[in-house]
Amino acid sequence: YLMDTDLEKNNLSDRQITHNLYGGNWENRMKQEYLLGIGGILLLQHLGISKEIYHMNEGHAALISAQRLADYVEQKGLPFDVALEVVRSSSLYTVHTPVPAGHDYFDEELLGRYMGHFPHRLGISWQEFIDMGRTTPGSSEKFSMSVFALNTCQEANGVSYLHGVVSRSMFAPVWPGFFAEELHVGHVTNGVHLPTWASPESQAFYKKHLGTDYVSRQADESTWAAIEHIPSDEIWQLRSQLKENLLHYITHDYRKRWLRANDGSANLPEGLDCIGLNTLLIGFARRFATYKRAHLLFTDLDRLSRLVNHPDRPVRFLFAGKAHPADGGGQGLIKHITEISRRPEFEGKIIFLENYDMHLASKLIAGVDVWLNTPTRPLEASGTSGEKAEMNGVLNFSVLDGWWYEGYRPNAGWALTDKTTYHDQQMQDRLDAHTIYDMLEREIIPLYYDKEGKSYSEGWIHHIRNSMMYIAPHFTMRRMMDDYYDHFYKPLSQRQQAVNASSYAMASEIVEWKKQTAAHWDEMQILRVNASGFELRTTNTDVIQSLEVEIDRGGLTAGLKVELIVASDDNQGGLTLAQSIPLELVEQSADSRWQKYHVDCRLKNPGIHRVAIRVTPHSALLPHQMDFAYVRWAAL
Ligand SMILES: *Cc1c(COP(=O)(O)O)cnc(C)c1O
């Protein structure tokens, strides 16, 4: 359902709320997110749609939790705390942005102007409400939609393996006392919709060789095994057809569209006609956000010129892209690349196509030989255009970031290694540019032209076969949906059923447990840590060491998780978790107020360790330790 405010019955100022994506000022952004989150839930109610699970993509949609909370409080009469457990148990938050600056933060005054009436509806104070959006409750931080999402969702995930790692670090401050690597934030790698992004020719090819029902079996590697036996001629025919389609598209449709858009005037890229079918064609097309580093290829123009002007093994580059109107950097980059492409040595050899849209994208990702992607690591959360290319036998040449970190395998495309990394971005750019030229000169171009008297290179086809068989199946929408279903939707569905059963009995039980635990937490005392003879400087990791902790729980009735936490320096001034070793309850007083915990353990790695005892409350009712993140530390 597309929500739009540009309707005649709306007043003028409301009509423009949805005019621009990410447009306008923070106030308009607030209005858009109010519309999406709160309006979205009201829309579903209006349509009579009610679902078990609510999945918010980015913090932009986080206010769906606010509206759902209000509904449970106002319509079902639940106390706020119980409503929060019910909403949490049925919500998933997916973060797509790897940098904190990409998240939404609203200052208190602005938030108050739009959300000021919500605390009253929820039966809580303004302070309690705004704290749900703060990393540190009680501080003067702005309200973060992402933190609000984390606090109102049972589960959270990033959109690739690496982005999961990055997201855990980014969100670690929300749960002080826990290491990033312990957080419950997981990942599901993005995929692309095969029937949309495989060209009609590719689809006919798959139908013929993989069976007419291949779409329903797309996420299964065995479906693609038949590619092994397809004659190279046929694979090359498909590739040639797709390239011809692209060349035809840009010399006809694109040219016409361009002339129409520009009143038939000049500036049409020259040389559209002179890209040959048998010339290695490399594509690079994306939003010109600066982290995508479209400029990288242009670092050494002499070397680039030698590549495109090689007498026997020339290369052609097609660039396309769009920059955000407000992104001066991106606009400048497009101008820069357009200018370079007009120089005599590059004219007709490096071509920049403006107005990148889905239609141009669908031709490009199918028609080029190689898809190039050079983002700054680790800023490509997933990336999807390379996956689209994958569905058409186009080989990827990309930085090991986002999806390609998982997708790359040898002899099925190329990867810019992640081994050397510099903190100085300019150094990194220079190194990466150098590696790109090197790999083009030494591996990619020679392989493409290694035809041995045939019309194509067997080695190249070998790469295409591997890439279709082993990479494509893992980056389709179907695999992504399967992952969401298995890792999140199914467990959440079971969880919310359990939490809601018998008039929200479990939700009330959790609330009661949290209240009790919070009330008595400060009474709990770590009486004694017996670590006599415990060696922190280990050379022999076979040595078994013992540890004992005695605790007086005071009035606390909650179960405890007592752990030996072993950390090491991460060389950036912080600590990483090396080991967390649970201690066992071995003895307790009749009223179980006094407890003794014990462990015999081995330190995994030799070296000097930093260790401490961590005590957290434990309840089988809560899926994650972070769900009630009270922490007590004791030194050894
Ligand atoms: C797929 C696509 C994108 C996104 O590509 P990324 O590689 O994820 O940046 C952007 N614009 C268009 C038109 C697309 O088709």
Side-chain angles (χ1 to χ4, degrees):
Y1 296 95
L2 178 70
M3 288 189 288
D4 186 359
T5 58
D6 194 6
L7 306 171
E8 260 168 36
K9 61 180 152 190
N10 285 338
N11 67 37
L12 270 178
S13 68
D14 286 344
R15 288 184 68 166
Q16 56 77 39
I17 292 173
T18 51
H19 278 182
N20 289 300
L21 183 65
Y22 304 138
N25 50 23
W26 280 107
E27 177 145 15
N28 198 55
R29 202 55 180 270
M30 181 78 228
K31 290 178 185 172
Q32 289 184 334
E33 298 189 10
Y34 194 99
L35 175 73
L36 178 62
I38 293 166
I41 293 295
L42 295 178
L43 169 79
L44 292 182
Q45 283 170 2
H46 190 73
L47 295 169
I49 296 172
S50 151
K51 294 285 167 189
E52 282 188 341
I53 299 163
Y54 292 77
H55 182 176
M56 51 189 86
N57 281 279
E58 290 292 49
H60 315 318
L63 291 180
I64 68 175
S65 289
Q67 181 59 37
R68 293 186 63 218
L69 283 167
D71 289 342
Y72 279 111
V73 171
E74 291 171 344
Q75 290 167 21
K76 302 257 159 104
L78 298 188
F80 169 77
D81 290 344
V82 176
L84 182 57
E85 296 303 332
V86 172
V87 167
R88 273 177 59 85
S89 71
S90 52
S91 299
L92 168 64
Y93 163 47
T94 298
V95 56
H96 295 255
T97 316
V99 286
H103 294 239
D104 301 317
Y105 301 89
F106 294 100
D107 64 39
E108 183 160 1
E109 193 273 325
L110 177 59
L111 184 75
R113 217 177 307 153
Y114 290 86
M115 297 299 294
H117 59 299
F118 258 79
H120 178 70
R121 293 177 63 186
L122 298 173
I124 58 176
S125 66
W126 173 248
Q127 183 68 36
E128 284 171 295
F129 182 78
I130 195 170
D131 274 353
M132 285 201 284
R134 281 174 170 156
T135 300
T136 308
S139 68
S140 56
E141 288 166 27
K142 289 184 178 182
F143 182 90
S144 155
M145 285 289 179
S146 311
V147 174
F148 182 72
L150 289 169
N151 281 325
T152 58
C153 292
Q154 181 70 68
E155 305 293 343
N157 72 287
V159 292
S160 69
Y161 166 81
L162 264 188
H163 182 236
V165 175
V166 170
S167 303
R168 285 190 285 279
S169 293
M170 184 170 64
F171 291 142
V174 177
W175 293 280
F178 293 94
F179 290 84
E181 48 271 54
E182 293 181 286
L183 299 191
H184 61 291
V185 179
H187 80 272
V188 170
T189 307
N190 281 343
V192 294
H193 190 244
L194 183 61
T196 299
W197 294 106
S199 64
E201 290 80 1
S202 301
Q203 294 190 45
F205 176 89
Y206 294 142
K207 259 193 199 121
K208 176 177 169 197
H209 296 286
L210 311 182
T212 47
D213 63 340
Y214 78 97
V215 171
S216 63
R217 297 180 291 117
Q218 61 182 269
D220 201 341
E221 219 182 72
S222 65
T223 302
W224 302 71
I227 304 266
E228 172 104 61
H229 307 294
I230 303 175
S232 303
D233 281 333
E234 253 185 89
I235 295 179
W236 188 246
Q237 249 171 38
L238 171 69
R239 291 296 323 135
S240 304
Q241 182 64 54
L242 295 177
K243 197 166 183 178
E244 206 176 309
N245 291 353
L246 167 64
L247 299 180
H248 185 268
Y249 174 75
I250 45 186
T251 47
H252 291 81
D253 306 45
Y254 180 81
R255 185 191 292 270
K256 262 192 235 144
R257 203 179 63 168
W258 177 281
L259 292 174
R260 219 179 306 128
N262 292 283
D263 291 335
S265 72
N267 283 356
L268 185 68
E270 289 292 328
L272 286 179
D273 301 314
C274 21
I275 303 175
L277 207 50
N278 291 310
T279 307
L280 175 58
L281 183 59
I282 299 181
F284 179 105
R286 43 203 30 99
R287 291 173 292 118
F288 268 51
T290 24
Y291 84 87
K292 301 260 192 189
R293 297 195 297 181
H295 59 281
L296 218 51
L297 191 71
F298 303 95
T299 308
D300 184 344
L301 293 182
D302 290 338
R303 207 162 166 190
L304 184 60
S305 168
R306 285 199 295 278
L307 283 179
V308 299
N309 290 303
H310 193 284
D312 318 315
R313 306 185 314 192
V315 186
R316 297 288 175 263
F317 290 94
L318 276 179
F319 274 75
K322 236 184 204 170
H324 190 283
D327 177 9
Q331 298 286 355
L333 206 51
I334 290 184
K335 193 158 169 277
H336 178 63
I337 292 174
T338 313
E339 279 166 12
I340 292 177
S341 71
R342 298 236 169 85
R343 293 187 186 190
E345 70 268 36
F346 295 124
E347 185 110 61
K349 290 157 190 163
I350 294 174
I351 294 172
F352 186 85
L353 304 168
E354 285 186 37
N355 295 320
Y356 181 46
D357 61 8
M358 254 184 83
H359 201 62
L360 178 55
S362 70
K363 299 289 179 204
L364 276 172
I365 52 95
V368 297
D369 296 299
V370 172
W371 193 252
L372 179 68
N373 191 20
T374 54
T376 301
R377 266 167 49 90
L379 298 182
E380 185 84 302
S382 167
T384 52
S385 58
E387 298 176 339
K388 298 169 188 171
E390 210 52 60
M391 305 300 145
N392 295 287
V394 173
L395 300 176
N396 272 280
F397 175 26
S398 171
V399 170
L400 276 182
D401 194 15
W403 79 278
W404 191 234
Y405 184 84
E406 295 151 69
Y408 168 72
R409 49 183 290 154
N411 301 314
W414 297 270
L416 260 83
T417 161
D418 57 342
K419 293 217 174 74
T420 325
T421 46
Y422 291 107
H423 282 303
D424 177 345
Q425 192 53 47
Q426 280 191 345
M427 288 261 278
Q428 186 72 50
D429 286 1
R430 236 174 295 141
L431 171 80
D432 288 348
H434 189 80
T435 313
I436 292 173
Y437 296 128
D438 265 1
M439 290 180 70
L440 284 171
E441 289 162 2
R442 291 188 199 159
E443 296 180 43
I444 301 174
I445 299 171
L447 186 72
Y448 182 84
Y449 284 108
D450 181 21
K451 299 187 177 176
E452 295 177 331
K454 283 201 212 146
S455 56
Y456 54 82
S457 149
E458 264 311 331
W460 195 266
I461 304 283
H462 180 63
H463 269 246
I464 294 177
R465 262 201 202 97
N466 284 341
S467 138
M468 281 180 171
M469 286 166 60
Y470 303 117
I471 302 178
H474 303 295
F475 298 95
T476 71
M477 185 64 75
R478 176 72 208 203
R479 192 274 308 142
M480 174 179 126
M481 291 311 294
D482 286 349
D483 280 356
Y484 272 112
Y485 188 79
D486 293 342
H487 302 323
F488 295 111
Y489 296 161
K490 212 167 142 198
L492 274 174
S493 163
Q494 286 163 354
R495 169 108 187 134
Q496 64 83 32
Q497 279 173 25
V499 167
N500 292 3
S502 318
S503 312
Y504 312 101
M506 187 169 152
S508 306
E509 203 184 331
I510 294 171
V511 168
E512 197 47 42
W513 180 87
K514 286 184 177 177
K515 261 191 201 139
Q516 283 295 326
T517 305
H520 296 286
W521 183 249
D522 287 344
E523 297 165 25
M524 187 266 290
Q525 288 181 58
I526 300 174
L527 298 174
R528 202 168 65 92
V529 176
N530 184 359
S532 63
F534 200 93
E535 271 294 334
L536 295 182
R537 190 188 293 265
T538 44
T539 44
N540 184 354
T541 52
D542 284 336
V543 176
I544 294 181
Q545 314 210 68
S546 310
L547 199 66
E548 242 169 44
V549 176
E550 282 175 51
I551 289 175
D552 175 356
R553 292 200 296 169
L556 190 70
T557 50
L560 295 176
K561 186 165 184 181
V562 182
E563 294 163 287
L564 171 67
I565 298 294
V566 186
S568 41
D569 289 310
D570 67 359
N571 299 323
Q572 288 167 36
L575 292 173
T576 54
L577 181 67
Q579 261 174 296
S580 64
I581 304 168
L583 277 71
E584 238 178 283
L585 177 63
V586 289
E587 215 183 316
Q588 57 184 335
S589 59
D591 61 0
S592 72
R593 179 176 161 161
W594 174 87
Q595 296 185 323
K596 185 156 102 181
Y597 292 80
H598 174 93
V599 72
D600 293 322
C601 61
R602 264 197 275 246
L603 296 185
K604 243 182 1 198
N605 306 310
I608 305 173
H609 299 284
R610 300 187 181 229
V611 297
I613 298 294
R614 183 175 71 185
V615 182
T616 51
H618 174 76
S619 165
L621 296 172
L622 301 178
H624 311 299
Q625 235 176 327
M626 278 66 57
D627 289 339
F628 191 66
Y630 279 41
V631 178
R632 183 78 63 79
W633 291 98
L636 243 64

